[in-house]
Structures are given as C-alpha cells and as structure tokens.
Amino acid sequence: MRSSIRSNVRHRAGALAVCSGVIISGGLGAGCAEQPGDDGEQVAFSATAQDVTATAVAGDPLPGISATDFAAAKTAFQTVEGLDDGLGPVFNEKACGNCHTQGATGGAGLQIERRFGRFDNGIFNSLANEGGSLRQLFSVGSFTGSGGQACNAPVEVEPADATVHNVGRLTTPLFGAGLMDTVSDSVIVGNANAQPTSVRGTVNNVKVLLPNPADASQVLNGTRVGKFGWKAGVASLVQFSADAYLNEMGITTQHCIKGASVLSFATESKPNGKAQPTGCDDRGPGGAGIPAGTDDGVGTCAPGQSEIQDDVDLFFQFMTFLAPVPRLPIDPNVDLQGGTVFNRIGCASCHLLKDYVTPSAPANGVPANMKFRPRTDFLLHDIGTGDMIGNDGDTLARTKMMRTAPLWGLHVRTHFMHDGSQTSITGAIQVHAGQALAAKNAFNALSTSDRNAMLAAMNSD
C-alpha cells in the first residue's frame, strides 16, 4: 500500500525564509537573528494554517494523499484483534483505534496505562524480571491453546517491591505525526542550543530498533534524536507502531531490514515476568520462516531485503498521513495578542511559536515544503510533573523529565498532562513548576485581557 499512497502525494513548494532548517514566522527581520521567545516580539499563536484547507476536519489525511488508500490504512488501525491474531497474553487494548479516540481516530486517549519501578541507590530499576515497567491491565484469560490444551493467562499485578507505582499515562495524539517525523536531529539540537540555560531542554538520543526502510537517515541500531512518546523515547514512527503493537496489544512481529531479521518486537510479554506454557501465550498465526513464538512477520529475510510486517506498516502509514487538526476560527487580533503574551511570559521558550517545514522530498511521503507548527521543541524538560519512570540505569533527575508536549489540536482534548489529571488548559498551566515555574508565575500575573487572549489562542488550536 505504501507505494500506492505515496504516488499520490502532491509535492508543494513555497518561498520561505529558513534559519537552521526551521522556518520562522511572526514578523522577524532579515537574517533571522532573533528567535520566538525574545521579550517584546509580537508573534501570532498560529501564523500559518498548517497548509490544511478550511474545509478539513480532524481525522482527515494530509493534502494530496489518496483518500481510498488512507481509508484502508485507517481500517487496519481500527481493527479489533483477537487470540488468532496474536492478542495477549496481556494487553491494554484490542485495537489501536480503541485508545486513540479524542477528536477523531488517531487522537489522544482517555485510558490511563499504568507503570511501576524502583530506585536502587538513586538509579531507576524497571523490574523487568517482574514484567516492568509497563503493567498491562488485561489478559486473554482462559482459552484453548494452539495445541488444544487448556490455558489461563493471569492479569498482571503491581510487584510488592515497586517503590514507584500506579503511575498513569494518557495515550498521545497522532495528528500530524508524519510531519513531525521529518524534523531532523540537527534542528532539535539547534532548539536546545538556542534556549536560555535556565530552561534549556535535553536532547534524548535513542537507538533506532526499527527504521523506515525508505529513509536513508534511519539506520538499524543507529542513534537518532527521539521525538515520540511522553519521554521522547522513540525516534522512528515505524518503530513507534511496532512498539505499540507489542506493548499495548501483545502482538509480536518480525521484520527485515537490508537482509537482517529484526526481532526486537518478537518476544511475547510475560505476565509479571512469568513465561506462559508453550502454546498458551496466544494463538498467533506464525508462519513459514517466522521465528517460533512470534505472532506475525515477513518470514525468512533474503539478502538485501527490507520489509515491514503488514499490520505495523499499515499503522505506520495511517499515522504518517494523518493531518494536523485544523484550528478553530479566531480573530487575528486576538491570535496576535495571545501569541505575543504566550511568547512574552516564557511559554514559547519550550512550546516554540515557530514553523517547521518538511523537506523538498520527504522520505516518508508526506507533502514537500509543508509548513507546520506543533508548538514543541521535541526536548526533555523537568517542569515538576515528571512520573519518575525511566529506563534501567536512569538517574532520578532523568526520570523527572518529560518531552515538551505538542499543543496543536488542544480544542479536541478534554484531559491534559501525561496523567490526564487536568481538565482545562488553565489547570495544566497551574501544575507547571521546575523549569516552567517562572512562566506559570508570569501567567498568574497577567491582566484579564492578556490572559483571556492567550487562552483563546490556545483553545482555538
């Protein structure tokens, strides 16, 4: 399907001023010496329309993408999986679309996933041998195994030795994910270098466990800057797809990258770390050339072969070609006032009010030279709301860091922050602390007019 969809992408061009690979808007002069965030600069909250037409609605594909092919990818994303598809033995949902619901299929979720861990001498321990750090909330229960035997997969429980526990995370929205996938490492590093030291973010370099075969900048087991997830822990959108299939639905997959069989997502989840009897993990289809115990894959990898398992590829395509949510109408004067206030009080130091732009020939097939403004720097910050969940070996300080959440699509959301604890934008601002404390205090000191304008601009996003 990928070739069918990508052949219909309409490449676009525009005359744009570029600074370090990022397009800056909002009245900057020649030379691009200033960046949004400087005191006194007037900048609209949204100076572009993300190149999405006025008739677009949440859940639409990007401009130029085949509606028929996008619908096929969306159908796969919404498909409910069962035992014979490899669901389980433990899982959080039976379909991608069951979690990504707000605004349209692909939006944020309302479900809260649960995590746990422990600190040993100030170092994070995921308790991997006890099923950590993600505690799947459901199991396939009692069923007849692949060999006709009686099976009963237990539901996971939180280990007694966990000291960080019951931590909740909302499902992140996917609108515009394919556009964000094109942001280069150098641009994100540049974002950090441009920030004042008091609010400077941390670049999260991560291993690419499953690259997009069409993107030469993504190399199997290479290192790239992470962009996706609450902790910016994933750099590749196709890896994001395979990871969710495994960890949220328990469906294991195998892939080929340049002749190498990729098994990073081929191991079944074990309830609280305990392997199930042979044939009782689920009834995944397996198949010729697919490693034993793996639910689905592409089979034996021929020399030079690169192929992503079909379902993972379809999920990847849906996420890649899902457009940003169109903004609600707003008075341009209010938008300018709101953006200027947002900028002046420091929110734009992390939630950048600048336009990114896709490359002239994007490897993932999204429209070329397309401006988009997700309002994030893609960096990790400590804003006092971190969940203290990390990777094995992380320090306490590291586990408190969270990625700057993109702010586009706020008007289709009802819950905010990683744990969904806030039900209004104002409430979300009020829990900011740490590197965001000064911005929160400045917000609280705003005049009624400035506060209303800023919230109106954010609520229209």
Side-chain angles (χ1 to χ4, degrees):
M1 174 185 291
R2 182 188 293 119
S3 60
S4 177
I5 292 182
R6 289 176 181 165
S7 67
N8 286 287
V9 172
R10 180 173 70 249
H11 294 288
R12 304 157 70 91
L16 303 167
V18 179
C19 272
S20 301
V22 180
I23 297 175
I24 309 299
S25 61
L28 288 179
C32 301
E34 294 182 285
Q35 293 283 327
D38 293 334
D39 288 345
E41 179 187 342
Q42 284 197 319
V43 55
F45 195 73
S46 180
T48 73
Q50 325 285 34
D51 285 358
V52 177
T53 64
T55 58
V57 297
D60 277 357
L62 288 165
I65 302 301
S66 162
T68 300
D69 292 337
F70 181 75
K74 179 179 178 180
T75 295
F77 191 84
Q78 295 173 315
T79 296
V80 175
E81 311 282 2
L83 277 169
D84 293 328
D85 302 303
L87 180 73
V90 287
F91 61 94
N92 279 325
E93 255 301 350
K94 297 180 179 180
C96 300
N98 285 0
C99 283
H100 294 275
T101 57
Q102 287 221 297
T105 299
L110 293 176
Q111 298 95 330
I112 300 287
E113 67 168 22
R114 300 298 179 183
R115 293 182 178 267
F116 59 83
R118 186 179 71 203
F119 281 93
D120 297 325
N121 298 317
I123 301 300
F124 186 75
N125 179 350
S126 71
L127 300 176
N129 62 336
E130 298 180 71
S133 64
L134 175 63
R135 176 168 65 89
Q136 285 90 353
L137 300 178
F138 305 99
S139 82
V140 292
S142 299
F143 67 100
T144 301
S146 58
Q149 71 275 46
C151 301
N152 187 15
V155 176
E156 286 197 308
V157 296
E158 190 172 294
D161 56 343
T163 57
V164 182
H165 52 84
N166 213 27
V167 177
R169 288 188 192 172
L170 282 173
T171 302
T172 56
L174 301 172
F175 301 119
L179 301 179
M180 293 192 291
D181 202 20
T182 68
V183 178
S184 70
D185 290 5
S186 61
V187 166
I188 299 175
V189 172
N191 288 342
N193 291 340
Q195 290 172 332
T197 54
S198 61
V199 296
R200 181 165 296 161
T202 298
V203 175
N204 194 28
N205 293 302
V206 298
K207 182 179 285 189
V208 178
L209 299 178
L210 187 63
N212 174 7
D215 187 347
S217 72
Q218 299 183 22
V219 179
L220 180 63
N221 295 322
T223 300
R224 294 192 75 202
V225 176
K227 293 192 284 282
F228 300 106
W230 284 109
K231 301 277 189 173
V234 180
S236 155
L237 196 55
V238 68
Q239 178 178 323
F240 195 74
S241 174
D243 183 88
Y245 211 25
L246 169 61
N247 289 306
E248 306 300 344
M249 284 180 275
I251 298 181
T252 54
T253 55
Q254 171 256 348
H255 315 266
C256 293
I257 298 294
K258 294 185 176 180
S261 181
V262 178
L263 303 178
S264 297
F265 307 93
T267 302
E268 292 283 7
S269 296
K270 302 175 180 64
N272 281 119
K274 297 177 181 178
Q276 298 305 287
T278 301
C280 283
D281 50 20
D282 53 43
R283 293 199 299 257
I290 297 172
T294 302
D295 296 323
D296 209 345
V298 298
T300 303
C301 297
Q305 178 186 358
S306 289
E307 184 178 355
I308 303 299
Q309 187 269 340
D310 289 346
D311 294 315
V312 170
D313 192 40
L314 286 167
F315 304 155
F316 165 59
Q317 290 178 35
F318 173 75
M319 293 188 290
T320 297
F321 300 117
L322 183 63
V325 177
R327 294 194 79 206
L328 297 176
I330 185 172
D331 183 324
N333 293 320
V334 174
D335 188 59
L336 179 61
Q337 180 185 0
T340 300
V341 172
F342 186 90
N343 178 45
R344 187 182 73 234
I345 68 174
C347 298
S349 295
C350 302
H351 296 284
L352 304 182
L353 292 187
K354 69 179 183 183
D355 294 336
Y356 296 85
V357 62
T358 61
S360 58
N364 65 354
V366 301
N369 302 315
M370 182 174 180
K371 295 182 292 182
F372 61 101
R373 183 179 286 193
R375 299 172 192 84
T376 177
D377 56 11
F378 299 101
L379 299 168
L380 297 176
H381 294 269
D382 180 0
I383 63 165
T385 62
D387 59 11
M388 295 194 299
I389 294 290
N391 298 315
D392 287 326
D394 282 350
T395 63
L396 175 62
R398 185 72 175 205
T399 65
K400 292 180 178 180
M401 293 182 178
M402 308 293 287
R403 178 195 66 157
T404 300
L407 296 184
W408 54 4
L410 285 181
H411 70 270
V412 298
R413 302 278 301 275
T414 59
H415 289 73
F416 307 96
M417 308 307 293
H418 73 273
D419 56 0
S421 61
Q422 303 304 311
T423 57
S424 70
I425 293 174
T426 299
I429 293 171
Q430 295 304 330
V431 298
H432 280 56
Q435 289 181 292
L437 180 61
K440 180 189 75 173
N441 290 340
F443 172 81
N444 289 335
L446 289 174
S447 67
T448 299
S449 174
D450 280 350
R451 180 182 296 199
N452 288 344
M454 175 174 150
L455 292 175
M458 296 178 73
N459 275 305
S460 71
D461 208 13

